[in-house]
């Protein structure tokens, strides 16, 4: 977009423009410079060049198997700063220089040649695992792979060994493998992949459309073509609103009508707070006066915990909810922007905002306190929502609820 605004393609030579945009793009992402050209690109810190054209790799399909879409605790940049402290780095660097010409030639011929496919597969997978060995043995170490990812790779390799299909993996600095397969084998690879129930999302690339997207309009045109299929494993109904506004009531009604489990972020916070402060947790759940007595302290406790791990309570709820066989569940008390971002990234999530006048809240027992000005109460006031629900009476008609249920189901099916 910056290059577009400055009109740089009109005033720079191709070499100068490539160098400029390569370095600027890397400010946003270390790997962004590899997306400047179509096809497959080689980057060596100083130059970028297209080594395989779109036509030469048109026999390939690509998918990212997402196990954790949240930001990494150790960034790629931080991890790579310490790679030279690993004994494996010398061997990886030398091996990369030696194998690069081989993998390029093998990939160009892999459309028709089984042996070239196997060469490409071996080099790519070997380099990926050596890279993670380097990270794990650096000082300080950076561990990017998690158990769901490694267990998935075990199942994947068993599947490939059994079927003999042309499908390979690579994995960068994160727990999300990339699968690359020959299009002739897609009819067998994709059903197996979609049947696996451990991933969070699949991002399937439907068509090769690489290269620089100059300007917001070009980017929006690209995204509107829906060339990437985003498949979520889970559906989440995320409910937000004010205290005494009717969030729990709506969650219970939706749970009853839609036969879905409902979970509250605050339950884990309450349980942890009660254990630390020797308060009866079961009584806290039943006694609203006791909860209001401790609310300010619980909010402070939650905020202090979030300061060290911003999604600790989101992960606690996620792990509890996803242990159930049901792939759709309700979050009954969304409070902070980080909560909404988490569930939007982790699932096919619809945000239902409960709106309720202060006078109605007061009739239900609400009294304004300092808590009402905190982020836990105001953080989602300006957030985008998919649907609103007017909680003005306990006599809400079945038709109003059914309209909301229908809208949610349509959003998930669409």
């Amino acid at each position: 977009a910056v290059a577009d605004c400055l009109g740089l393609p009109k005033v720079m030579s191709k070499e100068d423009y490539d160098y400029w945009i390569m370095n600027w793009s890397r400010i946003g992402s270390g790997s962004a410079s590899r997306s400047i050209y179509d096809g497959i690109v080689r980057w060596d810190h100083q130059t970028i060049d297209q080594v395989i054209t779109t036509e030469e790799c048109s026999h390939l399909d690509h998918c990212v198997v997402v196990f954790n879409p949240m930001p990494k605790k150790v960034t790629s940049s931080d991890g790579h700063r310490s790679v030279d402290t690993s004994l494996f780095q010398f061997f990886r660097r030398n091996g990369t220089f030696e194998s690069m010409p081989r993998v390029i030639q093998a990939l160009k011929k892999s459309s028709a040649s089984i042996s070239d496919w196997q060469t490409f597969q071996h080099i790519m997978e070997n380099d990926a695992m050596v890279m993670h060995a380097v990270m794990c043995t650096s000082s300080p170490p950076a561990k990017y792979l998690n158990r769901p990812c490694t267990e998935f790779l075990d199942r994947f390799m068993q599947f490939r060994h059994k079927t003999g299909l042309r499908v390979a993996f690579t994995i960068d600095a994160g727990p999300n493998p990339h699968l690359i397969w020959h299009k002739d084998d897609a009819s067998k690879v994709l059903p197996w992949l979609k049947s696996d129930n451990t991933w969070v999302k699949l991002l399937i690339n439907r068509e090769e459309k690489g290269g620089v997207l100059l300007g917001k309009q070009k980017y929006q045109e690209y995204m509107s073509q829906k060339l990437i299929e985003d498949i979520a494993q889970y559906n989440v109904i995320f409910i937000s609103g004010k205290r005494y506004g009717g969030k729990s009531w709506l969650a219970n009604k939706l749970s009853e009508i839609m036969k879905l489990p409902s979970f509250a972020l605050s339950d884990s916070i309450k349980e942890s707070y009660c254990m630390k402060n020797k308060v009866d947790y079961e009584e806290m759940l039943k006694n609203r006066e006791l909860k209001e007595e401790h609310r300010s302290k619980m909010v402070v406790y939650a905020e202090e915990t979030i300061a060290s791990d911003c999604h600790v309570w989101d992960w606690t709820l996620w792990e509890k909810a996803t242990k159930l066989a049901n792939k759709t569940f309700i979050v009954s008390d969304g409070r902070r922007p980080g909560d909404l971002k988490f569930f939007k990234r982790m699932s096919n999530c619809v945000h239902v905002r409960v709106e309720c006048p202060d006078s109605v809240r007061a009739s239900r027992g609400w009294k304004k306190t300092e808590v009402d000005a905190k982020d836990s109460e105001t953080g989602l006031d300006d957030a985008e929502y998919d649907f609103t629900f007017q909680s003005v009476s306990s006599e809400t008609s079945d038709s109003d609820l059914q309209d909301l249920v229908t809208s949610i189901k349509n959003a998930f099916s669409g």
Side-chain angles (χ1 to χ4, degrees):
V2 174
D4 192 28
C5 291
L6 297 177
L8 296 184
K10 299 177 182 177
V11 298
M12 281 185 171
S13 68
K14 182 181 182 302
E15 292 75 15
D16 288 343
Y17 174 73
D18 284 350
Y19 184 80
W20 186 92
I21 200 167
M22 175 186 72
N23 285 283
W24 270 85
S25 63
R26 291 191 64 246
I27 295 174
S29 169
S31 59
S33 60
R34 296 183 305 215
S35 301
I36 291 176
Y37 294 128
D38 290 338
I40 295 177
V41 174
R42 175 175 54 197
W43 165 61
D44 66 359
H45 292 272
Q46 297 298 322
T47 61
I48 49 172
D49 59 306
Q50 182 192 58
V51 294
I52 300 179
T53 66
T54 302
E55 291 73 22
E56 288 173 319
C57 60
S58 61
H59 60 290
L60 302 177
D61 269 342
H62 168 246
C63 172
V64 184
V65 187
V66 180
F67 290 97
N68 185 352
M70 305 309 295
K72 295 173 286 195
K73 291 184 179 180
V74 180
T75 66
S76 302
S77 297
D78 288 341
H80 280 91
R81 286 191 186 100
S82 60
V83 294
D84 286 329
T85 64
S86 169
L87 294 175
F88 291 108
Q89 176 64 358
F90 171 80
F91 300 102
R92 183 183 183 234
R93 183 184 291 118
N94 288 346
T96 299
F97 288 136
E98 185 274 330
S99 63
M100 181 66 70
R102 292 174 55 220
V103 76
I104 291 172
Q105 289 303 313
L107 191 50
K108 287 181 177 181
K109 299 176 182 178
S110 63
S111 175
S113 168
I114 297 294
S115 62
D116 282 304
W117 177 276
Q118 290 173 342
T119 298
F120 153 67
Q121 172 183 302
H122 173 76
I123 293 174
M124 181 173 69
E125 294 182 351
N126 183 69
D127 179 71
M129 299 314 293
V130 171
M131 186 273 284
H132 281 276
V134 169
M135 293 297 184
C136 288
T137 55
S138 296
S139 180
K143 185 178 180 181
Y144 293 106
L145 303 182
N146 58 19
R147 176 181 286 185
C149 171
T150 56
E151 291 180 347
F152 169 82
L153 291 177
D154 285 342
R155 291 192 300 277
F156 163 75
M157 286 187 280
Q158 290 172 17
F159 164 75
R160 184 176 65 192
H161 178 74
K162 181 179 179 180
T163 61
L165 297 175
R166 289 164 292 180
V167 54
F169 76 86
T170 186
I171 181 164
D172 52 15
N176 307 313
H178 295 244
L179 297 189
I180 299 174
W181 60 86
H182 197 293
K183 286 185 176 180
D184 290 349
D185 291 342
S187 62
K188 294 180 180 178
V189 172
L190 283 173
W192 175 83
L193 186 55
K194 291 180 179 180
S195 68
D196 189 274
N197 63 357
T198 59
W199 44 263
V200 171
K201 284 190 173 185
L202 294 179
L203 303 177
I204 303 175
N205 191 28
R206 288 303 184 191
E207 186 177 347
E208 173 61 43
K209 287 282 186 179
V212 179
L213 299 172
L214 292 178
K216 185 176 180 181
Q217 181 180 350
K218 288 290 185 182
Y219 174 77
Q220 290 175 339
E221 288 175 2
Y222 174 83
M223 294 306 292
S224 69
Q225 296 176 59
K226 296 184 178 180
L227 301 176
I228 298 178
E229 183 179 0
D230 186 340
I231 303 173
Q233 185 92 260
Y234 295 93
N235 297 320
V236 172
I237 303 170
F238 183 92
I239 300 174
S240 72
K242 300 292 189 180
R243 291 193 300 132
Y244 290 86
K247 299 189 301 295
S248 297
W249 181 88
L250 177 61
N252 290 336
K253 281 292 186 182
L254 292 178
S255 177
E256 178 185 334
I257 295 170
M258 302 179 74
K259 309 299 182 187
L260 298 175
S262 179
F263 302 89
L265 285 162
S266 58
D267 284 351
S268 296
I269 298 173
K270 290 172 191 169
E271 184 175 10
S272 180
Y273 171 86
C274 288
M275 288 180 62
K276 184 176 181 179
N277 294 278
K278 298 180 180 177
V279 178
D280 189 327
Y281 172 65
E282 296 299 329
E283 183 65 22
M284 175 81 79
L285 293 179
K286 296 183 292 185
N287 188 331
R288 182 130 203 178
E289 290 185 1
L290 180 63
K291 181 171 73 173
E292 293 302 321
E293 177 186 336
H294 288 270
R295 182 180 289 276
S296 293
K297 292 180 180 178
M298 280 196 293
V299 169
V300 172
Y301 173 70
E303 296 292 347
E304 289 176 348
T305 312
I306 289 170
S308 59
D309 185 349
C310 62
H311 294 297
V312 58
W313 305 116
D314 302 315
W315 277 115
T316 301
L317 186 150
W318 180 266
E319 290 169 2
K320 183 186 299 184
T322 54
K323 285 181 180 178
L324 301 177
N326 201 318
K327 296 294 185 181
T328 303
F329 59 89
I330 300 166
V331 176
S332 65
D333 61 345
R335 295 182 178 278
R336 299 169 179 83
D339 299 333
L340 181 58
K341 181 184 292 186
F342 177 90
F343 289 100
K344 285 285 188 182
R345 287 192 175 188
M346 295 290 287
S347 67
N348 184 15
C349 174
V350 295
H351 180 194
V352 180
R353 181 69 176 180
V354 177
E355 296 183 345
C356 182
D358 287 351
S359 58
V360 176
R361 294 168 65 205
S363 71
R364 297 172 180 169
W366 171 67
K367 295 179 181 179
K368 190 171 184 178
T369 69
E370 71 278 4
V371 169
D372 293 289
K374 292 186 178 293
D375 187 54
S376 60
E377 294 298 320
T378 64
L380 292 174
D381 286 357
D382 298 321
E384 292 185 7
Y385 52 78
D386 299 289
F387 308 107
T388 59
F389 182 81
Q390 303 297 326
S391 176
V392 296
S393 169
S394 59
E395 303 298 323
T396 301
S397 68
D398 289 342
S399 63
D400 289 339
L401 282 170
Q402 195 56 55
D403 287 346
L404 177 60
V405 169
T406 300
S407 296
I408 292 172
K409 287 182 176 179
N410 288 341
F412 286 153
S413 63

